[in-house]
Amino acid sequence: MSFVSRGFHRRHTEPGQEGRVPPGQYVTTDFPVLSAGPTPHRPLENWTFSITGEIDEPLRWTWDEFRALPSENITKDIHCVTKWSKLDTRWEGVSIDTLLDGVETSAEFVVAFSDGGYTTNLPLADLKGGKAWVAFGFEDEPLEPEHGGPARLLVPHLYFWKSAKWVRGLQLREDDEPGFWEGYGYHNYGDPWLEQRYAGD
Ligand SMILES: Nc1nc2c(c(=O)[nH]1)N[C@H]1C(S)=C(S)[C@@H](COP(=O)(O)O)O[C@H]1N2
Ligand SMILES: [Mo]
């Protein structure tokens, strides 16, 4: 007989979660929505994904072209700077490696840009090597608009604000330009394991 109360919102680490929850984070089974503005609703006929900036010929895919690219199933833990982590989230998306295949660039930085004007900056190296995707599916369903559908960036090794919802493209840059939250004092890099929440952390 167990006297552990079910449904109690525990904030300690459960067995099997050791080493998976970064410092200062708690595990949730919810999927909170965090958006700085209204949810854009872009018809798929008008959706494109572009790679611009330091590239000889900019690249652009329509929705149908993008969905014809090879996609991957991804299972990852995600970590929000507001302290929730969600374990084993399942996504479907196109690897940034696939999008950058054959691209030559002198860029070391990227600004991801989205419908609604949101931006976030990352080192290009953090988008390569199987670490980042443009995700269009979540838990076997099309990604919901509130969570960034039709497609969002997924960069699970960094705090989740780097995973730009409603992403429309990547600007390749030689210099590092702060994005939306980075310009309001969030950490420039955002490693959850180092608790890089705010500038100066
Ligand atoms: N376009 C856009 N992307 C965004 C945001 C936003 O406001 N606009 N918020 C970021 C933040 S702070 C977080 S924590 C996650 C939240 O994603 P979710 O709403 O799917 O949980 O999206 C990130 N991507
Ligand atoms: Mo966030």
Side-chain angles (χ1 to χ4, degrees), residues 119-158:
T119 56
T120 190
N121 59 307
L122 311 99
L124 178 57
D126 284 82
L127 294 180
K128 291 164 109 172
K131 293 197 291 291
W133 296 265
V134 176
F136 54 83
F138 179 75
E139 310 284 349
D140 303 315
E141 301 285 346
L143 181 61
E144 286 180 37
E146 287 68 26
H147 287 296
R152 77 180 296 164
L153 200 59
L154 176 65
V155 193
H157 71 287
L158 299 176

Side-chain angles (χ1 to χ4, degrees), residues 34 80-82 160-161 181 186:
L34 287 118
C80 175
V81 73
T82 62
F160 209 37
W161 86 77
W181 282 120
Y186 278 31

Side-chain angles (χ1 to χ4, degrees), residues 76-140:
K76 291 285 181 188
D77 304 340
I78 55 177
H79 311 291
C80 175
V81 73
T82 62
K83 302 204 164 179
W84 56 266
S85 290
K86 196 168 165 58
L87 303 184
D88 292 322
T89 58
R90 292 188 300 109
W91 304 82
E92 185 178 359
V94 176
S95 172
I96 305 295
D97 296 315
T98 301
L99 298 173
L100 290 177
D101 190 30
V103 169
E104 304 229 352
T105 179
S106 54
E108 289 185 34
F109 301 97
V110 172
V111 170
F113 53 92
S114 297
D115 275 326
Y118 188 84
T119 56
T120 190
N121 59 307
L122 311 99
L124 178 57
D126 284 82
L127 294 180
K128 291 164 109 172
K131 293 197 291 291
W133 296 265
V134 176
F136 54 83
F138 179 75
E139 310 284 349
D140 303 315

Side-chain angles (χ1 to χ4, degrees), residues 7-106:
F8 181 73
H9 191 170
R10 291 189 205 112
R11 293 198 168 198
H12 62 251
T13 304
E14 303 284 340
Q17 297 178 352
E18 299 91 351
R20 294 183 63 179
V21 186
Q25 298 290 111
Y26 68 91
V27 174
T28 182
T29 52
D30 303 339
F31 195 177
V33 171
L34 287 118
S35 303
T39 295
H41 291 274
R42 166 153 319 258
L44 294 180
E45 315 78 274
N46 299 334
W47 186 95
T48 55
F49 191 87
S50 300
I51 297 181
T52 65
E54 293 296 324
I55 181 170
D56 284 343
E57 289 288 333
L59 295 172
R60 198 169 78 155
W61 294 266
T62 64
W63 180 258
D64 289 344
E65 289 165 347
F66 171 75
R67 290 294 285 102
L69 294 170
S71 64
E72 299 174 7
N73 294 303
I74 307 128
T75 301
K76 291 285 181 188
D77 304 340
I78 55 177
H79 311 291
C80 175
V81 73
T82 62
K83 302 204 164 179
W84 56 266
S85 290
K86 196 168 165 58
L87 303 184
D88 292 322
T89 58
R90 292 188 300 109
W91 304 82
E92 185 178 359
V94 176
S95 172
I96 305 295
D97 296 315
T98 301
L99 298 173
L100 290 177
D101 190 30
V103 169
E104 304 229 352
T105 179
S106 54

